[in-house]
């Protein structure tokens, strides 16, 4: 089932499009300035290889194509651009990974240097750390794209910004909600369990109107950001949908229950999030802090998560022309072992970043996230092959103390007995992925 | 984790706009070979005089650009290595004159296409480290970056970051070496020594003409005091009836055999850019 249709209600989408069209019409009608539209299409081929066998029906390799179209329409002498960013992916194995999204479709209106109004489908990134992005709470994660949580779905919003010389205040109204994307049955890097339909705490379901306000301030080398968000949590919690099987039903392996596996459903609650970010620059060092306090969803009361650390950059290291960076971050969540599945409760990220400063703009980032039960490695490399071709290589390998759960029930038992092993299902999911992107 | 830090972009390009106009001269030095006959008193005196003249020249050169208000230019960067391989980058550079602070610049990366949309914003400060921000289009993230070490290469070119930024008069100490000719033009040869301990250079030799304070050549000496690079400027034209800008500049690295050529086109002055377009809080709106 493609869930794209339900992600934004059709009426909301049409309202936004008509708003944008009227904006375009007005700006077109209002002036005879020369018009300028820039189109930037790109196309990518992605190959993935998983050396270890996963669950039944999962494959060891995968082929996928993606396309992205960016466009900007500007009126000369006017600061009211229209922006479009469309994304689509076809995946040969996982039907749920075949999806498309309007990453952005927005209109900027700037009546003066101090004020800016943005309307449409937008993405808004907040935060300073590298290993995880606690504070990027406005946009839903497009999890099927990458488990690093850096790909986000477009979010309908109205954003009013006020700028002053040393800071800014932003207000957001967020109508409409996007559900997180999850891999399908055949997809890799998934929980060993069936995913049911989403449930919402609010009676308005996905039509609850959320809001957020954010203040940012610069004090010399220190940058601060503070926000509050009220609305539907982009992070779901998971509820077991299937009753625990009786021994008697399991012993009679009929055709139906041979595939009997537990099913969970994502539940999206209303929550209040307060976030603080800080970055302080000193010589070649950047010290970073992200703090998120959540009023609580599902089984959890108010809780707090922290990511903090530093990045040190040695420019022109050893006179080679190469920039070398070292990253260290501490990842914390006060719920301990009971923290959600995607939230490390007490671990460290160590990483190193290399920028070669060569013709091909080669860059690499090697990192590992370590806690008591696991070491999760990642490597990302970028290298330009020709002016229009970019090669990206990504690899992750997971080293868990507990072996891969044999089934969904096995995993749920593990969660009940020792929730610190909640990521044990990643044990067999090491992968190597190469993508070639063509910009034309 | 976010790979595309594009730290290499930390080095900015606003650059050329200024670096050649920093030095100039208004005085005539009758420079005889005092050194050979100098007494103990004369040497420090002559040196002090040369330093004073050098500084005055630099100060006067800086004044040549006063009131340019703002400028936009397109830059094509051609990178050539010793094997003859070639790579190109294209950039659009906007600069804004500030009266009470260092100037501000916005560099838009247009090609290679995988870097399109990346924006580098720099606020120069005469007496302190510059402030820099990078807009990363993949994450739609504005990242403030350290601008501490200026000796690194700019996007794989032979230009170091410190070659590219706005050169404030007080970034260097000066000494007038001699009055000379540069390709039949009466010229000065100045020596300037960076004050920044992070600079990759021990000194620079700068040739500029007496007529309009245009820089034609800079020799860069590395920390071991060996000649490292030479920068040539070509095709100066006057814009807005006041400001001289080159059409081409060529940086040759003698130690690596590499070369970087910058070609400038479509200079525009006083187009009415505002501080809002150079604000870190509005950086995202500037990305194309």
């Amino acid at each position: 089932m493609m869930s794209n249709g339900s992600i934004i209600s059709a009426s909301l989408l049409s309202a936004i499009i008509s708003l944008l069209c009227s904006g375009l019409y007005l700006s077109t009608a209002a002036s005879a300035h020369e018009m300028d539209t820039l189109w930037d299409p790109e196309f990518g081929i992605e190959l993935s290889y998983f050396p270890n066998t996963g669950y039944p029906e999962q494959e060891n390799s995968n082929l996928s194509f993606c396309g992205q179209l960016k466009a900007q329409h500007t009126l000369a002498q006017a600061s009211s651009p229209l922006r479009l960013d469309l994304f689509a992916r076809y995946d040969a194995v996982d039907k749920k990974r075949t999806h498309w999204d309007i990453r952005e479709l927005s209109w900027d209106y700037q009546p003066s240097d101090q004020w800016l109004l943005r309307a449409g489908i937008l993405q808004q990134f907040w935060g300073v750390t590298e290993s995880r992005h606690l504070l990027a709470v406005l946009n839903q994660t497009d999890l099927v794209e990458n488990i690093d949580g850096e790909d986000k779905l477009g979010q309908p919003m109205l954003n009013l910004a006020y700028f002053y010389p040393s800071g800014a205040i932003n207000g957001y109204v967020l109508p409409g909600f996007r559900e997180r994307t999850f891999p399908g049955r055949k997809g890799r890097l998934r929980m060993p369990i069936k995913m049911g339909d989403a449930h919402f705490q609010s009676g308005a379901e996905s039509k609850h109107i959320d809001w957020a306000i954010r203040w940012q301030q610069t004090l010399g080398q220190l940058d601060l950001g503070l926000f509050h968000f009220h609305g539907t949590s982009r992070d779901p919690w998971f509820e077991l949908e299937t009753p625990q099987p009786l021994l008697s039903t399991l012993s009679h392996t009929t055709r139906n229950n041979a595939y009997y596996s537990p099913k969970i459903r994502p539940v999206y609650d209303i929550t209040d999030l307060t976030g603080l970010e800080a970055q302080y620059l000193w010589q070649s060092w950047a010290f970073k802090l992200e703090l998120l306090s959540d009023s609580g969803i599902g089984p959890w009361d108010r809780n707090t998560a922290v990511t903090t650390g530093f990045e040190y950059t040695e420019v022109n290291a050893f006179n080679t022309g190469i920039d070398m960076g070292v990253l260290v971050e501490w990842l914390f969540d006060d719920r301990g072992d009971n923290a959600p599945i995607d939230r490390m409760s007490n671990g460290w990220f160590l990483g190193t970043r290399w920028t070669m400063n060569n013709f091909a703009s080669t860059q690499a980032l090697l990192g590992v996230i370590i806690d008591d039960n696991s070491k999760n490695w990642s490597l990302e490399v970028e290298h330009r092959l020709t002016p229009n071709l970019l090669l990206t290589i990504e690899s992750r390998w997971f080293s868990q103390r507990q072996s891969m759960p044999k089934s969904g029930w096995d995993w749920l038992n593990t969660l009940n007995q020792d929730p610190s092993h909640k990521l044990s299902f990643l044990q067999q999911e090491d992968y190597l992925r190469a993508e070639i992107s063509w910009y034309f | 984790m976010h790979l595309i830090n594009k730290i290499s972009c930390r080095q900015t390009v606003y650059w050329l706009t200024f670096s050649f106009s920093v030095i100039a001269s208004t005085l005539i030095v009758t420079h005889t070979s005092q050194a050979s006959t100098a007494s103990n008193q004369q040497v420090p005196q002559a040196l002090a005089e040369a330093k004073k003249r050098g500084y005055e020249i630099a100060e006067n050169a800086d004044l040549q650009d006063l009131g340019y208000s703002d400028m936009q230019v397109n830059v094509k960067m051609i990178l050539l290595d010793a094997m003859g391989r070639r790579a190109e980058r294209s950039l659009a550079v906007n600069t804004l004159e500030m009266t009470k602070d260092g100037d501000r610049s916005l560099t838009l990366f247009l090609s290679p296409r995988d870097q399109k949309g990346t924006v580098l914003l720099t606020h120069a400060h005469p007496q302190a480290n510059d402030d820099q921000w990078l807009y990363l289009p993949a994450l739609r993230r504005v990242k403030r970056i350290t601008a501490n070490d200026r000796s690194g290469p700019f996007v794989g070119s032979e230009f170091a970051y410190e070659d590219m930024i706005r050169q404030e008069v007080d970034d260097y100490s000066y000494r007038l070496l001699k009055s000379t000719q540069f390709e039949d033009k009466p010229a000065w040869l100045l020596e300037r020594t960076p004050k920044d301990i992070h600079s990759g250079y021990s000194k620079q030799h700068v040739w500029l003409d007496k007529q309009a304070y245009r820089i034609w050549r800079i020799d860069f000496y590395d920390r071991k005091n060996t000649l490292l690079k030479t920068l040539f400027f070509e095709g100066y034209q006057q814009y807005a009836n006041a400001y001289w800008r080159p059409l081409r500049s060529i940086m040759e690295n003698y130690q690596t055999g590499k070369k970087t050529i910058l070609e400038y086109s479509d200079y525009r002055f006083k187009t009415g850019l505002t501080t809002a377009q150079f604000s870190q809080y509005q950086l995202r709106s500037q990305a194309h």
Side-chain angles (χ1 to χ4, degrees):
Chain A
M1 184 193 75
M2 293 266 294
S3 56
N4 298 304
S6 63
I7 289 172
I8 313 174
S9 73
S11 57
L12 186 64
L13 189 63
S14 61
I16 287 165
I17 290 172
S18 54
L19 175 72
L20 290 168
C21 291
S22 57
L24 174 64
Y25 173 76
L26 283 175
S27 46
T28 314
S31 71
H33 286 306
E34 71 175 289
M35 313 245 286
D36 186 17
T37 308
L38 298 166
W39 297 92
D40 288 303
E42 72 180 79
F43 178 75
I45 300 173
E46 177 201 271
L47 282 163
S48 309
Y49 176 66
F50 298 83
N52 301 312
T53 305
Y55 292 102
E57 297 183 273
Q58 289 183 331
E59 311 223 359
N60 283 55
S61 59
N62 187 26
L63 171 69
S64 178
F65 303 99
C66 73
Q68 193 150 8
L69 178 66
K70 290 180 189 165
Q72 180 161 326
H73 176 87
T74 339
L75 285 154
Q77 312 300 324
S79 48
S80 314
L82 281 161
R83 287 194 176 86
L84 171 70
D85 184 351
L86 279 176
F87 173 83
R89 176 176 298 284
Y90 168 78
D91 192 281
V93 171
D94 185 2
K95 273 196 282 186
K96 289 285 181 85
R97 200 163 178 255
T98 299
H99 69 301
W100 68 277
D101 182 41
I102 302 171
R103 294 284 197 240
E104 284 201 332
L105 174 58
S106 69
W107 175 58
D108 283 12
Y109 175 64
Q110 185 141 28
S112 76
D113 282 357
Q114 278 74 46
W115 294 92
L116 172 69
L117 182 70
R118 297 190 301 161
I121 296 169
L122 280 153
Q123 299 212 18
Q124 179 67 59
F125 181 90
W126 295 337
V128 289
T129 58
E130 299 295 323
S131 57
R132 67 177 176 189
H133 305 296
L134 287 176
L135 304 184
V137 300
L138 293 191
N139 290 87
Q140 182 58 273
T141 301
D142 195 356
L143 191 65
V144 294
E145 276 302 302
N146 199 313
I147 59 166
D148 66 9
E150 291 189 346
D151 292 278
K152 297 287 187 182
L153 298 168
Q155 166 71 46
M157 67 174 83
L158 198 64
N159 167 212
L160 180 66
Y162 172 73
F163 306 104
Y164 56 97
S166 62
I169 296 165
N170 277 272
Y172 301 83
V173 178
L174 308 143
F177 178 79
R178 313 288 311 271
E179 291 173 30
R180 184 166 294 183
T181 58
F182 293 104
R185 206 161 34 106
K186 294 181 175 177
R188 298 297 297 246
L189 298 155
R190 66 164 173 84
M191 293 183 271
I193 207 161
K194 276 189 195 167
M195 191 65 67
D197 292 337
H199 276 234
F200 292 88
Q201 183 190 45
S202 163
E205 299 208 321
S206 65
K207 294 180 188 68
H208 186 270
I209 294 177
D210 308 337
W211 59 265
I213 186 158
R214 182 170 187 265
W215 167 69
Q216 68 185 117
Q217 177 75 38
T218 306
L219 301 159
Q221 300 297 300
L222 179 68
D223 285 283
L224 292 171
L226 184 67
F227 77 81
H228 188 84
F229 165 88
H230 174 82
T232 309
S233 169
R234 273 50 175 160
D235 287 326
W237 61 281
F238 298 98
E239 190 175 55
L240 189 61
E241 211 175 47
T242 327
Q244 191 89 12
L246 300 170
L247 274 177
S248 55
T249 56
L250 282 180
S251 57
H252 298 90
T253 33
T254 65
R255 198 160 56 97
N256 280 337
N257 62 20
Y259 288 101
Y260 190 81
S261 94
K263 192 172 180 182
I264 54 172
R265 63 184 178 200
V267 184
Y268 296 95
D269 285 0
I270 299 292
T271 191
D272 280 276
L273 300 171
T274 309
L276 171 72
E277 69 179 76
Q279 178 173 276
Y280 180 73
L281 297 179
W282 179 72
Q283 296 188 354
S284 303
W285 301 76
F287 299 95
K288 302 164 176 196
L289 169 71
E290 288 187 11
L291 192 147
L292 180 69
S293 178
D294 178 359
S295 67
I297 53 169
W300 296 294
D301 295 329
R302 179 164 286 280
N303 57 81
T304 304
V306 175
T307 315
T308 185
F310 66 82
E311 175 164 5
Y312 171 80
T313 308
E314 181 74 34
V315 173
N316 195 11
F318 315 111
N319 234 357
T320 52
I322 297 168
D323 297 340
M324 193 199 71
V326 175
L327 296 124
V328 176
E329 289 175 7
W330 178 58
L331 297 83
F332 174 76
D333 187 299
D334 68 357
R335 286 167 288 187
D337 289 342
N338 293 317
I341 183 160
D342 55 353
R343 190 65 69 73
M344 171 133 307
S345 63
N346 189 357
W348 289 88
F349 167 71
L350 309 173
T352 178
R353 176 165 19 221
W354 296 74
T355 305
M356 306 307 287
N357 288 314
N358 54 358
F359 284 10
S361 304
T362 311
Q363 299 187 83
L365 175 63
L366 174 69
V368 59
I369 295 180
I370 302 170
D371 74 352
D372 287 346
N373 294 307
S374 63
K375 287 190 189 69
N376 297 328
W377 291 84
S378 68
L379 173 70
E380 294 168 54
V381 181
E382 265 198 5
H383 183 83
R384 189 180 305 112
L385 301 172
T386 74
N388 290 324
L389 279 185
L390 182 74
L391 171 68
T392 312
I393 290 171
E394 179 184 288
S395 182
R396 294 183 199 281
W397 55 112
F398 307 98
S399 163
Q400 307 286 325
R401 191 170 280 183
Q402 180 113 336
S403 59
M404 181 179 90
K406 290 175 187 66
S407 67
W409 291 118
D410 191 18
W411 181 56
L412 289 178
N413 278 334
T414 307
L415 287 185
N416 283 333
Q417 284 160 16
D418 185 355
S420 68
H421 292 294
K422 60 198 169 206
L423 287 178
S424 53
F425 64 87
L426 288 174
Q427 180 64 39
Q428 308 281 339
E429 302 295 288
D430 300 352
Y431 69 89
L432 176 68
R433 179 172 283 169
E435 183 174 27
I436 289 183
S437 303
W438 179 36
Y439 300 83
F440 54 95
Chain B
M1 270 157 280
H2 174 217
L3 170 62
I4 323 291
N5 185 38
K6 297 211 170 89
I7 279 213
S8 56
C9 306
R10 67 171 46 240
Q11 293 85 345
T12 191
V13 180
Y14 23 161
W15 94 259
L16 217 241
T17 44
F18 305 102
S19 56
F20 47 84
S21 64
V22 172
I23 312 205
S25 80
T26 51
L27 59 156
I28 295 168
V29 175
T30 45
H31 192 266
T32 55
S33 52
Q34 296 158 320
S36 55
T37 57
S39 73
N40 284 347
Q41 250 187 340
Q42 280 171 317
V43 170
Q45 256 181 15
L47 186 64
E49 181 68 6
K51 283 183 171 178
K52 187 169 158 264
R53 298 292 194 220
Y55 186 81
E56 283 169 2
I57 291 167
E59 236 181 354
N60 276 308
D62 200 44
L63 290 175
Q64 297 301 306
D65 253 359
L66 198 67
Y68 80 93
S69 183
D70 62 71
M71 192 197 82
Q72 301 183 56
V73 64
N74 295 333
V75 183
K76 185 163 142 189
M77 180 181 263
I78 301 160
L79 316 178
L80 298 164
D81 73 5
M83 322 260 282
R85 283 178 301 192
R86 177 190 167 102
E88 281 187 19
R89 319 225 180 294
S90 77
L91 314 158
V93 184
N94 302 343
T95 45
L96 181 71
E97 183 180 38
M98 303 292 287
T99 48
K100 292 191 174 126
D101 195 4
D103 292 351
R104 300 185 171 181
S105 87
L106 193 73
T107 302
L108 309 169
F109 289 77
L110 306 177
S111 82
R113 290 278 308 282
D114 57 272
Q115 291 188 343
K116 190 174 178 186
T118 305
V119 184
L120 179 69
L121 171 69
T122 308
H123 293 180
H125 304 300
Q127 303 295 339
N129 279 341
D130 299 345
D131 289 318
Q132 282 199 315
W133 296 263
L134 201 51
Y135 176 72
L136 302 162
L139 273 82
R140 295 170 172 84
R141 171 178 180 178
V142 176
K143 187 173 177 176
R144 188 172 177 188
I145 56 177
T146 57
N148 179 54
D149 193 330
R150 300 166 161 193
S151 70
F154 177 79
V155 294
S157 75
E158 295 315 303
F159 287 87
Y161 164 71
E162 61 186 311
D163 306 333
M164 308 294 273
I165 57 170
R166 162 73 156 139
Q167 312 275 303
E168 302 289 341
V169 177
D170 285 319
D171 289 345
Y172 298 93
S173 53
Y174 300 87
R175 187 155 69 104
L176 180 58
L177 293 182
K178 64 176 172 181
S179 180
T180 179
Q181 294 273 107
F182 188 90
E183 290 172 358
D184 303 332
K185 291 177 282 288
W188 302 112
L189 174 56
L190 285 197
E191 181 178 273
R192 60 182 187 189
T193 311
K195 290 180 180 170
D196 182 358
I197 53 159
H198 293 288
S199 170
Y201 309 123
S202 56
K203 64 179 181 194
Q204 296 169 13
H205 285 173
V206 185
W207 283 259
L208 60 150
D209 68 57
K210 295 177 181 178
Q211 186 208 337
Y213 316 103
R214 293 164 298 200
I215 292 182
W216 294 91
R217 173 178 174 167
I218 305 176
D219 283 350
F220 297 88
Y221 291 83
D222 68 13
R223 281 286 169 193
K224 291 171 199 146
N225 227 358
T226 346
L227 181 60
L228 174 65
K229 302 186 292 193
T230 295
L231 177 60
F232 294 98
F233 296 96
E234 295 176 1
Y236 272 102
Q237 295 191 348
Q238 197 174 26
Y239 298 88
N241 290 323
Y243 312 108
W244 289 95
R245 294 291 183 270
L247 291 176
R248 237 161 94 91
S249 64
I250 300 140
M251 180 75 96
E252 282 184 51
N253 187 321
Y254 299 114
Q255 295 179 9
T256 62
K258 292 183 188 171
K259 193 191 265 192
T260 299
I261 301 166
L262 299 181
E263 294 179 352
Y264 301 89
S265 58
D266 202 13
Y267 280 107
R268 281 151 289 158
F269 284 83
K270 302 186 181 182
T271 54
L273 300 179
T274 66
T275 49
Q277 286 160 292
F278 296 83
S279 158
Q280 67 268 39
Y281 310 108
Q282 305 188 49
L283 190 46
R284 187 200 152 107
S285 310
Q286 305 307 322
H288 291 285

